Structures are given as C-alpha cells and as structure tokens.
Amino acid sequence: MPAQRTSDTKPVSVRPGHILAKSDGVSDLMVHAMLFDGEKDRADVTSKTQLKIAHMGPPLGNATKSCDAVGGMELTDEQKLRIKNFITQCKDATKKRDKEYRLRGLEATSKELYVILPSAKPPSGDFAYWRFSCVGFVLKAYEQIPIYLLKGPIPERTLADLKSFYPFFSADLDKADTREHLGIGTGDRWPVELVGYVLHSFARNEADVIAGPYAPQLGDEYFPRQFVSGGAPPKRLFGKQ
Amino acid sequence: MGKTRDKYASTGKTKVKMTKTPLAVKSFGRLRIKLLTIEDEYRKEEVTVRKNYIHDVDGIAANNLSGVYLTPAYSNGLVAEDALTGIRISYEKFGGGYRHCKLTTPFVAASANAMKLKNRHTWKAWVSSKSFRQPPVALTIDAPMAWESKTFDEDDAESEVHFMIYGFAGVGNRKFARQEWALAELPNDLELEHQITWVHDPDSILERLENRALYPDDYAAAVLFAEVKPFRGEQRTRLLAALSGYIDENRFVEDEDSLITLCSAIRKYAMNMQESQFEGYADWLLPTETATLHHEAEMEFAKGICWRLEFEPHSWPAQYPHLTKTLFDLVDSYLTPRLILQKSYANTAMFGIVALHILEAASGSRVELVSKLREKTIGSGVKWFAEMVNDNLDEAVHYISERDDAIGKKIMEIRQG
C-alpha cells in the first residue's frame, strides 16, 4: 500500500505496523507520525477513525488517535512481530513521571525524552532511554525489519520552519536551553527529518522502498507535496538539491 | 488559632463553620501539614466533636475517625510529603470541574473524590466513612499547584490561606443530605516549603533516595526523577548505592505501577554502574526458590546490561564470568519456539545475546558460549528471531566501533564464528 490521505468518507486500509500521520489541521503539512499498533488489519479507516497507535507523543507510548494520512508496505508476520517487539522495548516511565510533576504543581516535562536532531539518540548514563522525535520513533521501528526509509541530504530548515513543523514545541523553540536539549542548539538551519518525508518515501513503489531509502525534497513536508502554503513564501532549500 | 466565622450558613443546606487562618504566602511553594490527628468520635449520622489537635509527627494520638471531609481553601498547594504515616489524597483531572482522587493509607486503600465548589476557590475531598476500616493517624492533602495557578498569580503572593477540615457522618458525597461540622482549624504552624525544585536537583534527589523512611510514593518519585538527571562523581556513587538498595528490595514486584519504577531504577543503575558492579548486577537476574522476576523486569535487566556495554565505555580485556554465565542461562532457557513468542522473552533473549557477544569480545578469550547460543538460535527454526539478533548486533557493532574499533571487529569475528 502506498501512502495516501484519509478522508471523512472514503475508507482506506491500514495494517499493523503501518505509519499514520496527523496534519496541522489546516493544510497538508504533516506534523506527527505514529505506528498503527492494532492487532488486526482495518479496511474502514477514515480521518475520524480512532486507532490504537504507538508513538513518541511525547510521551512515548500507546494512545488512541485518528490520522490524516497513512503509509506502509506489505509486512510479513515476522516483520510485524519485530515492530511489535520494538514497541515493547520502548516502554518508559514518562507518563508516571509526568504525573509526579503535576502532583507537585510543576509543568509536566514529557518533552524531556523528545529530540529533534538527530531523530533518534542512543541512551546514556544521563538519559537511560533512547530518545526520539515522532519521526525518529517510526524510522527506528522500520530499521528493525530492516527498512531504511530516508537518506541524506535532508533539506535544512530554519527556526521559523521548525515552529510550524513542531507546533507542540513552538514556545520551547524560543528557549536556548530547550533547543540545546532538542539537538538544535547551535546554528540557524538544521537537517531535520520530517513526517511528510516518510510518507513520500512510502509513496514510491514497494520495490523501491525495499531497495533503498528516499532522499526528501523541499516541499515533502506536505503530503501531497507542495511548495507554497497559505500564502507563505516558498521555502528555500539549503544545501544541494 | 485563627478566627472562626460562619461561611456557608447562608446556604441553608449545610451549616459549616469556616476557619480563617491567615498565612502569608511568600511565593509559590508547598504548604504542608506535618501531621494532623483528630480526636473525635463519629456515631452514625451524628458527629460529636470533642477535641481537635494538631500534633507533630511524634505526637500521634489514636482517634476514632471514621470519615473525613477536607477543604483546602485558597491554598496553592498542600502536601505532607514527609508524613511517616497517614492518608494521601491525590487528585487527577477527571473533567468537567471534577477531579478523581486516589486515596491510600498504610492501613487501607480506598477511593476518594474531590470537587471544586461552584464559584469558589475551594476544593473538597471526601472519602466514604466506609473506607476507614481503621482510624488513620494522619491526614494529608496533596494538592497540585497546577489547579491553583489559574487562581493565584504573583499579585496574590500575600494572600491569606484558609483551610477547613470537616468531619461527616454518612456515606459518599451526599453533601446536601448530611450535616457537616468543622472539626479543626489549622493554626499558623502550617509550613511553607520550597521543595518544588528538588525534582530538578540531583543532590536533593539523592537526599530523598537515601531516606528509606520516605513515604513509598515519594521514594518512587525520587527514582523516576533521578532517571533523567545527570549524576557525576560522588553523586553517581551515592546514586548507585541508593538504587542498588531499592532494586534489591523490589526486584520481584509484579504490579504495573511498581514495575514502572523498578524498571526506571534498573535502567538508571545499569547505565551508570561501574565495571566492578557488573558481577553483582547479575545476581539480580537470578530467581530464588520462591520468587522469579516479572518478565518485564527481566527484560529491563537484560536490556540494561546490553545498553551499558553498547553505549557506555568500558575497559577491556576484562572477564565477568558470573554475568556471562547468568546471561547465558537466561538466554538458553528462552531459546525455544515455545517460549520465544511469549511475553517479552524474545527481547530478553536478544538483549542477552548481544550483551554476550560484547562480553566475549571484551574478555580477550573465546568462551564458546556465544557459539552455542548461535547454534541453538539457528536450530530453533525461528528465523525472524535470528535476523533480529543479527540486526541488533550490527547496531551494537556500529556504536561500539565509534568508540573502539578493535572491539567492534572482535564482535564481528565472534558473530561469524
């Protein structure tokens, strides 16, 4: 199954392990990536269907969400099992920790395990977790089977761009320490992996997906691809096209 | 004691006295009632207030409380975190202005509820009188400041804080069908504490981790907060000692809530432990005659040592025969098609095999355990599992080679037999 948008009326099929995406709600800009974590195939998925998903919310874990786009490929039972195993490995204590923060009248910091660049960061003594962006989480899941979905050069983005791609972090991105924590502390342009890129990777024919990763282009953050959105000026691509 | 005045008498539904207790709030911190003991009697639908006391921790007096009804009014936080015994009422968002509470005491566990009174900055929490099978000796409220932050801002920094404690007779929250009486008024010995920042301060977290008398929920919170903070030098030594004690005592827990905290402790310990602690770590993987690890805890132990070896530097050649043997036995027991598809066993076995490859590479000599497991893995006929092991070994080699190319190559040699 290639990548496709969901609609209110025409149902599409989704299988365990497929990637689901949420848009920003006003355009085709895709801002959140998830994995379908249901037990069975679904053939009735519209943009309103609530599905069991696994994602780096944050926090990392399971939830029930609807989706605006889906992408995936034929997965064998073994591949589904390996993705499931990966999800099992990723259990963490963020939800419980967030609850404790709230009990103390503190802002929940489920974002502490979120990282934008790189999209997946190995554990260390300081952070005894893999840290992910939402995209990093699904890319890492597919590396398990092993399918590599993206390759460089990744278009570089400005801080203003990132605020639209990561609306949940919009305010945080103005803080130097938070940006440092997210991996974009220095510089003014960053090659971040975005949700739309993953969908465009799956939009290729399946043999190409298996054969190798996809090099995203400017505008791939939208699905379908576009270069101008809502009257905003076209985004520039930094680096080689 | 503060002034007392009728507050709700005008409602005509309940007659309650409101105690006004001035307390200057200097900033947003926590207010704590150290320990509250109410020596009153409750009989059926009637409450007789005999005497109200507020004691220090050491001055606990038994009482006959069968139900209680609390109102922290105009508070911006009320916590008795260090209470050695007592009730904790915690609140969670329940929607629609109501909040659900969970109540626990050392004696009983019961449900409780809280409600924000309409147009009042007043929260009431109540528990059924049936909840108390034994009288509590202390009563504390855990009130998230997040609720109050909408009400209070910096302009309120000098606001007075009022607290009321009501006793009630009856069942549930039939607040208009029962009578309420003021039981106690809280004098000015409420303590204002500035403890909020401890969750971000490694030294303060350590102080709590080293205090085993801490209320279990608070201890668990310290473990959780420790996981995402850096500990250096002496701090790390203290952290490991504290976590070691916690893991020792809790490694066989089975309920989901405790497992989350245990797994958090395991991860943090594993990623920070010294090489001299590897062998002792292996002991935690061993069952006793009467208890065995929950499969999630077992996976976390295997993952912990695997990640420690993969992502944190270690010296070599070095041999860890006990750890190696323990991991081998663990993996060996799960490498059958019957078990590998169950629970977390595939992940546990996979992490164990990757760890054993690294351990063998670091040992400087061949111990042949890995080759036995490899043969068994292939012989099991579970192809996807063998592929999963290989892919994770590739990843381990990638990260280890970034630090030490020689060990990376050694792992590749072992893998190829």
Side-chain angles (χ1 to χ4, degrees):
Chain A
M1 181 203 73
Q4 58 188 309
R5 289 294 301 258
T6 56
S7 70
D8 289 354
T9 51
K10 188 180 175 185
V12 300
S13 297
V14 176
R15 294 178 176 170
H18 279 179
I19 287 173
L20 312 175
K22 289 287 282 184
S23 72
D24 64 357
V26 293
S27 72
D28 292 330
L29 179 65
M30 294 293 149
V31 296
H32 189 53
M34 312 166 278
L35 287 171
F36 177 45
D37 195 30
E39 297 297 325
K40 294 177 180 174
D41 296 356
R42 292 281 298 261
D44 59 342
V45 176
T46 67
S47 57
K48 293 176 179 172
T49 309
Q50 295 292 315
L51 299 167
K52 185 187 175 193
I53 58 103
H55 69 159
M56 165 49 96
L60 192 61
N62 286 104
T64 303
K65 301 273 184 192
S66 61
C67 63
D68 299 314
V70 300
M73 51 184 284
E74 287 296 327
L75 296 172
T76 64
D77 286 345
E78 289 82 1
Q79 287 173 321
K80 289 176 192 171
L81 198 56
R82 289 191 59 185
I83 289 176
K84 197 88 179 167
N85 271 319
F86 169 73
I87 293 169
T88 305
Q89 289 172 23
C90 289
K91 278 190 175 177
D92 73 359
T94 305
K95 280 185 182 170
K96 189 171 180 188
R97 191 163 36 244
D98 276 358
K99 187 176 168 185
E100 294 292 340
Y101 280 124
R102 284 194 295 272
L103 283 173
R104 283 156 179 78
L106 297 170
E107 183 186 352
T109 55
S110 54
K111 297 170 185 173
E112 64 196 3
L113 296 183
Y114 200 92
V115 65
I116 290 177
L117 189 68
S119 62
K121 196 171 181 179
S124 67
D126 294 349
F127 268 88
Y129 292 100
W130 270 94
R131 295 171 59 200
F132 299 109
S133 68
C134 62
V135 175
F137 177 72
V138 298
L139 292 177
K140 190 76 181 167
Y142 270 77
E143 282 180 18
Q144 308 299 308
I145 50 180
I147 299 286
Y148 297 89
L149 293 169
L150 298 180
K151 67 177 180 183
I154 304 291
E156 294 186 335
R157 303 296 186 166
T158 65
L159 185 59
D161 292 333
L162 296 187
K163 286 183 181 180
S164 62
F165 302 149
Y166 299 92
F168 188 50
F169 289 92
S170 185
D172 300 293
L173 287 169
D174 284 328
K175 302 171 190 167
D177 56 339
T178 312
R179 278 170 43 192
E180 179 78 34
H181 182 79
L182 292 168
I184 52 169
T186 56
D188 54 7
R189 295 177 182 87
W190 301 272
V192 296
E193 292 167 323
L194 300 173
V195 182
Y197 300 172
V198 181
L199 292 169
H200 285 285
S201 182
F202 278 121
R204 300 173 295 162
N205 68 57
E206 195 159 314
D208 287 344
V209 176
I210 295 168
Y214 170 74
Q217 306 170 31
L218 182 70
D220 278 353
E221 62 271 27
Y222 297 92
F223 188 78
R225 178 184 300 125
Q226 67 182 64
F227 292 90
V228 182
S229 173
K235 293 184 172 64
R236 290 177 297 161
L237 175 67
F238 298 96
K240 292 180 181 177
Q241 295 204 39
Chain B
M1 301 290 273
K3 302 168 188 174
T4 302
R5 63 190 167 103
D6 287 342
K7 176 75 174 177
Y8 301 150
S10 60
T11 64
K13 294 173 181 173
T14 57
K15 180 174 172 129
V16 237
K17 287 180 181 175
M18 176 96 180
T19 297
K20 181 181 177 186
T21 305
L23 179 73
V25 180
K26 301 298 182 192
S27 65
F28 295 126
R30 303 184 182 188
L31 296 168
R32 184 180 70 164
I33 302 174
K34 262 188 173 177
L35 194 69
L36 174 68
T37 302
I38 307 170
E39 288 188 335
D40 301 310
E41 281 188 6
Y42 292 73
R43 291 197 184 94
K44 296 180 182 177
E45 295 296 317
E46 198 172 74
V47 176
T48 304
V49 179
R50 285 185 175 174
K51 217 171 182 180
N52 305 320
Y53 287 112
I54 296 173
H55 292 279
D56 286 336
V57 173
D58 294 333
I60 299 170
N63 61 77
N64 298 316
L65 187 66
S66 60
V68 72
Y69 182 29
L70 306 175
T71 299
Y74 292 94
S75 73
N76 61 351
L78 179 61
V79 176
E81 187 160 3
D82 294 330
L84 298 177
T85 57
I87 303 168
R88 164 159 303 210
I89 300 177
S90 60
Y91 304 75
E92 290 175 8
K93 187 172 184 182
F94 191 60
Y98 290 82
R99 289 172 193 262
H100 179 259
C101 300
K102 180 184 173 186
L103 179 144
T104 58
T105 80
F107 314 111
V108 295
S111 62
N113 295 281
M115 183 181 78
K116 188 171 188 178
L117 296 184
K118 192 176 181 182
N119 299 326
R120 296 182 198 279
H121 304 304
T122 301
W123 284 87
K124 289 189 176 182
W126 63 90
V127 294
S128 161
S129 56
K130 287 182 176 176
S131 300
F132 294 112
R133 293 192 177 85
Q134 294 185 48
V137 292
L139 195 59
T140 68
I141 308 169
D142 190 344
M145 195 167 62
W147 305 349
E148 314 299 342
S149 61
K150 292 176 185 172
T151 306
F152 293 91
D153 54 30
E154 291 298 330
D155 294 337
D156 296 316
E158 297 297 326
S159 294
E160 289 184 345
V161 180
H162 311 259
F163 296 97
M164 271 305 295
I165 298 175
Y166 305 115
F168 73 88
V171 177
N173 184 36
R174 285 178 285 167
K175 67 188 177 89
F176 296 120
R178 69 167 188 245
Q179 287 189 299
E180 301 167 341
W181 290 265
L183 293 182
E185 50 191 35
L186 305 183
N188 293 335
D189 59 357
L190 287 175
E191 293 183 11
L192 179 62
E193 292 191 332
H194 301 277
Q195 298 178 339
I196 287 174
T197 54
W198 75 265
V199 304
H200 299 306
D201 175 35
D203 280 322
S204 301
I205 292 172
L206 281 172
E207 281 176 22
R208 285 160 187 271
L209 288 175
E210 288 166 344
N211 178 9
R212 301 313 301 271
L214 212 57
Y215 191 88
D217 282 356
D218 291 327
Y219 200 90
V223 172
L224 294 169
F225 292 132
E227 190 179 6
V228 289
K229 292 288 170 291
F231 293 82
R232 303 280 184 259
E234 180 59 25
Q235 287 178 335
R236 182 182 288 207
T237 306
R238 290 169 60 196
L239 172 77
L240 291 171
L243 291 181
S244 173
Y246 179 80
I247 295 169
D248 249 348
E249 288 178 18
N250 294 278
R251 68 186 174 115
F252 294 124
V253 296
E254 294 199 327
D255 66 285
E256 188 177 357
D257 218 33
S258 303
L259 272 168
I260 292 172
T261 309
L262 172 67
C263 291
S264 174
I266 293 169
R267 280 190 295 270
K268 190 66 175 178
Y269 184 92
M271 293 303 290
N272 284 277
M273 66 179 167
Q274 304 295 313
E275 288 161 44
S276 60
Q277 291 163 315
F278 283 9
E279 294 286 72
Y281 182 89
D283 285 340
W284 286 327
L285 274 162
L286 299 173
T288 68
E289 286 185 13
T290 55
T292 189
L293 295 171
H294 187 278
H295 67 94
E296 286 187 14
E298 197 171 55
M299 182 186 80
E300 214 61 43
F301 277 119
K303 184 166 84 180
I305 184 62
C306 181
W307 282 3
R308 170 67 178 83
L309 294 166
E310 187 174 338
F311 298 115
E312 288 288 315
H314 51 95
S315 54
W316 70 293
Q319 296 186 344
Y320 304 99
H322 180 50
L323 176 62
T324 303
K325 175 71 166 55
T326 306
L327 281 174
F328 175 83
D329 290 343
L330 175 71
V331 174
D332 189 46
S333 61
Y334 290 144
L335 276 185
T336 71
R338 185 174 291 113
L339 289 176
I340 207 76
L341 291 167
Q342 292 184 33
K343 299 180 178 176
S344 309
Y345 298 148
N347 283 325
T348 303
M350 184 271 292
F351 284 126
I353 292 173
V354 173
L356 283 165
H357 274 76
I358 304 170
L359 285 170
E360 185 161 325
S363 73
S365 62
R366 298 299 295 270
V367 288
E368 301 302 330
L369 290 179
V370 170
S371 58
K372 285 181 189 171
L373 290 179
R374 187 170 49 250
E375 286 167 16
K376 191 166 180 181
T377 303
I378 295 166
S380 71
V382 186
K383 191 180 163 197
W384 67 267
F385 177 75
E387 288 173 356
M388 183 168 87
V389 170
N390 279 332
D391 292 339
N392 278 271
L393 274 170
D394 284 343
E395 183 180 86
V397 168
H398 168 76
Y399 284 105
I400 290 171
S401 296
E402 285 181 352
R403 294 195 314 269
D404 192 331
D405 194 45
I407 289 217
K409 285 179 179 163
K410 188 84 178 161
I411 295 170
M412 291 301 287
E413 284 173 21
I414 294 167
R415 176 181 165 183
Q416 288 156 8

